[in-house]
Amino acid sequence: MLSSYGTSVFEVMSRLAIEHRSINLGQGFPDGNGPADVRAKAALFLEDRPNQYPPMLGVPELRQAVAAHGKRFYGLEVDWQREVLVASGATEALAGCLFGLIEPGDEVVLLEPLYDSYLPIVRRAGGVPRLVRLVPPAWELPRDELAAAFSARTKLILLNSPMNPAAKLFTREELAFIAELVLRHDTYAVCDEVYEHLVFDGRAHIPLMTLPGMRERCLKIGSAGKTFALTGWKVGYVTAAAELLPPVAKAHQFITFTTAPNLQRAVAYGLAKDDAYFHSLRSELERKRDAFAQGLAAIGFDVLACEGSYFISADFRPLGFAGDDVEFCRHITTEAGVTAIPVSAFYESAAPRHFVRFAFCKEDEVLSAALERLGRHFRRN
Ligand code: PMP
Ligand code: GLN
């Protein structure tokens, strides 16, 4: 039952940060206001385009733009009329895919650490989760366990790459291994790729959908929230084979039915922005990651690798803190004035308990102020 779950860790930590006037590096949202031109389009379209219900699948401009984006970045041929659906954020897109595809009793393979909406929705859809865990610091894919989690009862695997909070980008070899399991067991893959443009060090994000045999079996989810640093807009999109999309649309029509039309049109404009935009999105974040990682290491944290996303995790044991990650996050919020997210929140049980996740998608001054506070606090203790 959904009522048995607590309040989302992101909300809990953000409320705590507000209460203690702490620098919030917990919940993953940038502190800028997104690209001015994209916002200007949204304002313009609010005035000069219709504001009534747009089509349930999304406005044609955005569905065309999502199809063109798939072709431009990944060489995908996408029929915008039959293979694209717009949802109110990736969260709703995920719910639509899961409610649309899962029948009671179906098994769903999921990789921990996982985003907090996955398990409640899988279960509410009647799915039976089969959890496979990746553990820090290496976050290696345990191939034997993954293979063992698939069976004749598996309906789908839910894959998040780049992965939150592991900041891991799945390699082509790992994806090929997953694709082989998907084919062998005749299943689908719901691919949460909200951080597709936030990848670093010259790496390329590879959608599972681009691997042989996967075009018909994958549902690829993107989010304007991440691609345009506008997390409050909640505009997401699903790309999937024409046979796979109808069940998702059936669910979507009963969840939100549609999404604010001016925001959809502004996102369509954004997806067609030139390469310079997408390059600077990643290079700016990469620069922030480097500076922040260096600062954490100088304080004494054991900092993990970060290949993509908004997040970097660190082991706090070298600082000599004697509690677990939840206690550590409370402690630094109330005592140092910096908020992070405990990595254990991304596991259902028996989680690693000494890693915390920081969001570095913040202004440089905010990141350096956070480092300064943490440095001062831990030097004193
Ligand atoms: N998936 C992952 C892995 C996320 O980290 C998030 C958080 N932003 C979402 C989905 C949700 O995206 P949206 O805000 O577009 O609903
Ligand atoms: N995806 C965001 C994160 O991991 C949180 C989104 C939310 O607050 N629901 O921080």
Side-chain angles (χ1 to χ4, degrees), residues 89-91 94 115 118 160 164 192 194-195 223 226 234:
T91 309
L94 280 159
Y115 182 55
Y118 294 177
N160 174 215
N164 175 12
D192 178 346
V194 298
Y195 301 106
S223 169
K226 316 298 163 173
K234 299 295 286 187

Side-chain angles (χ1 to χ4, degrees), residues 327-342:
E327 289 159 345
F328 183 84
C329 287
R330 283 196 166 268
H331 175 81
I332 59 171
T333 298
T334 59
E335 307 306 317
V338 177
T339 297
I341 300 281

Side-chain angles (χ1 to χ4, degrees), residues 68-136:
H69 169 273
K71 170 91 175 153
R72 170 177 167 197
F73 288 98
Y74 311 117
L76 291 165
E77 295 292 341
V78 178
D79 174 351
W80 71 268
Q81 285 178 292
R82 299 164 68 227
E83 298 190 314
V84 178
L85 175 144
V86 177
S88 294
T91 309
E92 200 239 327
L94 280 159
C97 291
L98 299 173
F99 282 130
L101 294 173
I102 295 170
E103 298 299 330
D106 284 346
E107 291 192 359
V108 176
V109 177
L110 303 117
L111 302 178
E112 288 181 299
L114 33 72
Y115 182 55
D116 71 343
S117 78
Y118 294 177
L119 278 176
I121 300 294
V122 165
R123 291 207 169 100
R124 202 68 186 83
V128 179
R130 296 293 310 265
L131 293 168
V132 176
R133 57 175 40 210
L134 279 62
V135 290

Side-chain angles (χ1 to χ4, degrees), residues 147-148 150-152 177-187 214 217:
F150 277 77
S151 74
F177 184 80
I178 294 169
E180 205 272 316
L181 292 172
V182 168
L183 284 172
R184 192 186 326 151
H185 296 277
D186 189 18
T187 67
M214 290 296 101
R217 292 179 181 271

